[in-house]
């Protein structure tokens, strides 16, 4: 299968409906660009993949170089569409030389499609195979005219006559509920024959790939229509679609995690990204957000905690804790309102209201409420190193760079600016003076009787 199919992904469009400076295909679902998601699937099927670019091509190319750089020019080929002369999805296919005789064409804005269902389309043998959706609300899609209206309802082998783009459709045609999902398989020879014959005499003055269907039909070419599922084949044109598509992807990621043993309270409130890995037995409470390349193993993440690109092993976190990138937590308890950043904590308790940034804290250490690592001097970030069995009392500021050796005590309310040697108690706070009788002197007797 992998060697007999070429794939073209269309990603040159302006994506104006996104109302964004970011190219449409770079908008992300669960942390991954739409184009990256669809390309991952394409790579399961083909060793000859062509991506057509134009609008903001450089940004898209940068993403591709970053994520798929090793494949460029061998498996992956980038093309620039001549949008000035040949705008439209038909124009996008001009001049593309595929290696294989069968060509799968995918719109770049279909982030949910999976290679397993694409395989089913590719297994068909007609000269043209196209994907159809049957939608309650067909708004935005090209309507597909079938020669037998009943076959659409029963979803049996539909005979496709032509595709009418929404902007060109009559009010009657707009009622049609069978629509073009935007995935096609063509014989290479069909594209060579019909792409040059497309016209732009339509509402958008574009060369529509979809017009190949009617042209080929008129010349007796066999066209196979296949009904597919919206949960895989929906197109994303605007940010409403983007959020709906992300919901679908989130549903898949949550189910996959739960199937692997993660317990979720109110799963619909939990956000996880594609690169997050769960191992062992984990519990995620409601409202948890875990992003980036994070690993969570045998841990309990309590309500409304956020974890970004961090490792959490055999620990409990939150509620309402925030692990910023590059945190590494093992056998540790992190309580509410604790923020970590580039912090390595092994066997530590930090129960309440702390900022622990650019630090290492060793086994058996206790971080009291309100402890702050003062890691930034306005110019540079500095490290705080805390050894084993260090007791840091509440409301201490640790002014970095600073080192608290193992087996030390830091008195509550201290501002620590110097290293603390092993075995010491450090106290760095103003002395308390009790001025007896001061209240009455200040307010007088009347106030005292109130
Ligand atoms: C397209 C189909 C429509 C189908 C829908 C499915 C056409 C003419 N219409 O409409 O029948 O129901 O997809 O989602 O094909 N692109 C280019 N070059 C261009 C224009 C677009 O590469 O000149 C790319 C876009 O980047 C995008 C894809 O083609 O990835 C589809 O373009 P889009 O403008 O979203 O088409 P739709 O209006 O959704
Ligand atoms: Ca689209």
């Amino acid at each position: 299968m992998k060697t007999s199919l070429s794939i073209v992904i269309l990603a040159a469009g302006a994506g104006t409906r996104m109302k964004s400076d970011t190219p449409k295909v770079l908008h992300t679902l669960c942390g991954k660009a739409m184009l990256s998601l669809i390309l991952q699937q394409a790579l399961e099927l083909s060793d000859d993949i062509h991506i057509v670019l134009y609008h903001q091509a450089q940004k898209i190319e940068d993403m591709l170089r970053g994520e798929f750089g090793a494949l460029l020019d061998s498996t992956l080929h980038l093309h620039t569409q001549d949008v000035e002369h040949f705008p439209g999805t038909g124009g996008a296919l001009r001049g593309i030389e595929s290696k294989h005789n069968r060509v799968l064409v995918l719109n770049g804005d279909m982030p949910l499609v999976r290679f397993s269902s694409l395989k089913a389309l590719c297994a068909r043998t007609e000269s043209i195979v196209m994907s159809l959706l049957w939608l309650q609300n067909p708004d935005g899609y090209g309507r597909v005219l079938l020669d037998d209206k009943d076959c659409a309802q029963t979803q049996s082998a539909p005979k496709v006559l032509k595709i009418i783009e929404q902007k060109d459709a009559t009010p009657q045609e707009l009622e049609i509920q069978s629509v073009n999902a935007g995935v096609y398989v063509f014989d290479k020879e069909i594209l060579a024959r019909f792409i040059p014959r497309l016209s732009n005499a339509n509402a958008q003055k574009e060369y529509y790939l979809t017009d190949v269907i009617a042209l080929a039909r008129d010349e007796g070419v066999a066209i196979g229509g296949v009904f597919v599922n919206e949960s895989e084949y929906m197109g994303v044109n605007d940010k409403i679609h983007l959020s709906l598509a992300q919901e679908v992807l989130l549903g898949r990621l949550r189910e996959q995690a739960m199937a692997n043993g993660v317990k979720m309270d109110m799963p619909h409130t939990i956000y996880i990204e594609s690169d997050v890995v769960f191992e062992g037995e984990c519990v995620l409470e409601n409202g948890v957000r875990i992003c980036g390349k994070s690993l969570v193993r045998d841990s309990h993440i309590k309500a409304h905690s956020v974890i970004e690109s961090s490792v959490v092993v055999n620990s409990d976190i939150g509620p309402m804790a925030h692990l910023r990138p590059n945190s590494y937590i093992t056998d540790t308890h992190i309580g509410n309102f604790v923020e970590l950043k580039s912090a390595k904590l092994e066997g530590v308790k930090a129960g309440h209201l702390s900022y622990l940034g650019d630090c290492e804290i060793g086994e058996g250490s206790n971080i009291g409420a309100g402890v702050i690592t003062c890691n930034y001097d306005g110019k540079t970030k500095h490290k705080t190193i805390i050894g084993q069995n260090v007791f840091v009392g509440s409301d201490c500021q640790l002014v970095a760079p600073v080192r608290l050796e193992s087996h030390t005590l830091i008195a509550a309310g201290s501002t620590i600016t110097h290293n603390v040697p092993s075995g010491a108690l450090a106290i760095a706070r103003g002395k308390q003076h009790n001025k007896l009788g001061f209240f009455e002197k200040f307010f007088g007797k009347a106030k005292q009787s109130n």
Side-chain angles (χ1 to χ4, degrees):
M1 171 66 87
K2 198 161 174 172
T3 51
S4 61
L5 183 76
S6 291
I7 297 182
V8 182
I9 303 176
L10 308 183
T16 42
R17 287 167 282 185
M18 273 290 178
K19 300 199 168 50
S20 173
D21 289 338
T22 303
K24 176 161 78 168
V25 294
L26 291 193
H27 280 271
T28 57
L29 284 74
C30 299
K32 281 249 186 290
M34 289 204 265
L35 182 58
S36 173
L37 286 166
I38 197 163
L39 183 51
Q40 267 171 353
Q41 301 302 309
L43 286 165
E44 297 287 336
L45 298 172
S46 176
D47 66 348
D48 181 48
I49 300 172
H50 302 260
I51 303 180
V52 185
L53 303 175
Y54 178 76
H55 284 283
Q56 306 208 61
Q58 194 55 51
K59 280 190 191 168
I60 301 174
E61 193 178 327
D62 289 347
M63 181 285 279
L64 291 169
R65 280 196 189 283
E67 286 189 33
F68 302 92
L71 300 171
L72 278 169
D73 303 326
S74 54
T75 301
L76 213 55
H77 309 277
L78 304 186
H79 302 264
T80 305
Q81 182 179 345
D82 180 2
V83 168
E84 207 184 310
H85 299 104
F86 297 103
T89 49
L93 283 173
R94 287 181 77 95
I96 295 198
E97 262 307 312
S98 64
K99 177 166 144 190
H100 304 294
N101 285 328
R102 285 290 265 183
V103 184
L104 171 67
V105 178
L106 302 166
N107 281 353
D109 60 358
M110 311 181 45
L112 299 172
V113 74
R114 287 188 275 205
F115 75 91
S116 46
S117 76
L118 291 172
K119 255 183 179 169
L121 280 176
C122 297
R124 299 279 295 249
T125 54
E126 293 92 339
S127 294
I128 301 177
V129 181
M130 66 164 290
S131 55
L132 296 150
L133 291 168
W134 177 258
L135 296 180
Q136 277 306 318
N137 174 13
D139 188 45
Y141 287 89
R143 308 300 200 273
V144 182
L145 192 62
L146 304 169
D147 80 340
D148 173 4
K149 290 189 180 67
D150 292 339
C151 78
Q153 267 115 354
T154 58
Q155 306 209 341
S156 64
K159 290 215 179 80
V160 179
L161 295 180
K162 66 171 178 173
I163 304 173
I164 308 138
E165 290 307 302
Q166 172 150 317
K167 288 191 176 138
D168 302 293
T170 63
Q172 207 179 359
E173 287 165 337
L174 287 175
E175 299 290 311
I176 297 175
Q177 287 173 285
S178 44
V179 304
N180 169 28
V183 174
Y184 327 77
V185 190
F186 296 100
D187 281 346
K188 182 177 176 175
E189 169 269 324
I190 293 284
L191 291 174
R193 195 157 117 209
F194 293 106
I195 291 292
R197 283 163 55 184
L198 292 174
S199 113
N200 66 347
N202 53 52
Q204 302 184 81
K205 303 254 175 301
E206 286 187 0
Y207 295 83
Y208 295 158
L209 174 59
T210 46
D211 284 348
V212 167
I213 303 295
L215 291 176
R217 162 72 55 206
D218 286 349
E219 299 196 4
V221 173
I223 302 172
V226 181
F227 274 99
V228 292
N229 202 319
E230 193 185 5
S231 68
E232 277 197 47
Y233 284 77
M234 73 171 283
V236 172
N237 295 322
D238 57 32
K239 285 174 177 157
I240 300 167
H241 298 151
L242 187 67
S243 76
L244 294 173
Q246 181 167 268
E247 264 318 311
V248 175
L249 189 58
L250 270 174
R252 288 184 199 166
L253 293 173
R254 291 186 202 114
E255 276 187 21
Q256 197 184 333
M258 287 188 276
N260 287 334
V262 176
K263 178 179 183 286
M264 294 187 179
D265 291 338
M266 300 171 75
H268 62 284
T269 66
I270 292 172
Y271 175 88
I272 47 180
E273 294 195 339
S274 315
D275 288 336
V276 175
V277 175
F278 296 99
E279 291 176 358
E281 202 171 349
C282 298
V283 178
L284 308 185
E285 294 185 4
N286 51 294
V288 162
R289 179 181 180 92
I290 309 180
C291 316
K293 284 189 171 35
S294 290
L295 167 69
V296 182
R297 182 191 303 149
D298 293 320
S299 293
H300 187 149
I301 315 301
K302 294 182 188 162
H304 303 289
S305 294
V306 176
I307 299 174
E308 301 165 296
S309 303
S310 289
V311 174
V312 179
V313 176
N314 200 28
S315 297
D316 70 281
I317 288 183
M320 290 162 287
H322 186 186
L323 268 56
R324 289 170 50 208
N326 301 316
S327 294
Y328 183 94
I329 308 302
T330 53
D331 305 308
T332 284
H333 162 69
I334 298 285
N336 46 197
F337 309 113
V338 173
E339 175 184 345
L340 268 56
K341 193 265 305 185
S342 297
K344 187 175 181 192
L345 275 59
E346 294 176 306
V348 174
K349 288 192 172 71
H352 337 260
L353 295 158
S354 275
Y355 172 60
L356 304 171
D358 300 304
C359 61
E360 289 173 24
I361 309 180
E363 201 178 325
S365 291
N366 185 94
I367 306 298
V371 170
I372 307 288
T373 52
C374 309
N375 61 330
Y376 186 47
D377 60 13
K379 280 187 180 167
T380 328
K381 301 278 168 69
H382 301 281
K383 281 196 88 167
T384 301
I385 309 288
I386 301 177
Q388 296 181 357
N389 300 318
V390 176
F391 183 91
V392 184
S394 296
D395 193 29
C396 287
Q397 298 92 55
L398 310 174
V399 182
V402 72
R403 179 182 288 270
L404 316 182
E405 300 286 355
S406 293
H407 317 297
T408 51
L409 288 143
I410 312 299
S414 292
T415 300
I416 300 295
T417 52
H418 295 92
N419 294 347
V420 180
S422 184
L425 162 70
I427 308 181
R429 62 188 181 209
K431 266 215 159 84
Q432 181 173 339
H433 302 281
N434 291 343
K435 299 198 171 180
L436 298 179
F438 184 84
F439 187 92
E440 194 182 313
K441 255 197 257 164
F442 193 67
F443 288 117
K445 258 201 166 49
K447 178 85 176 181
Q448 204 174 14
S449 60
N450 275 345

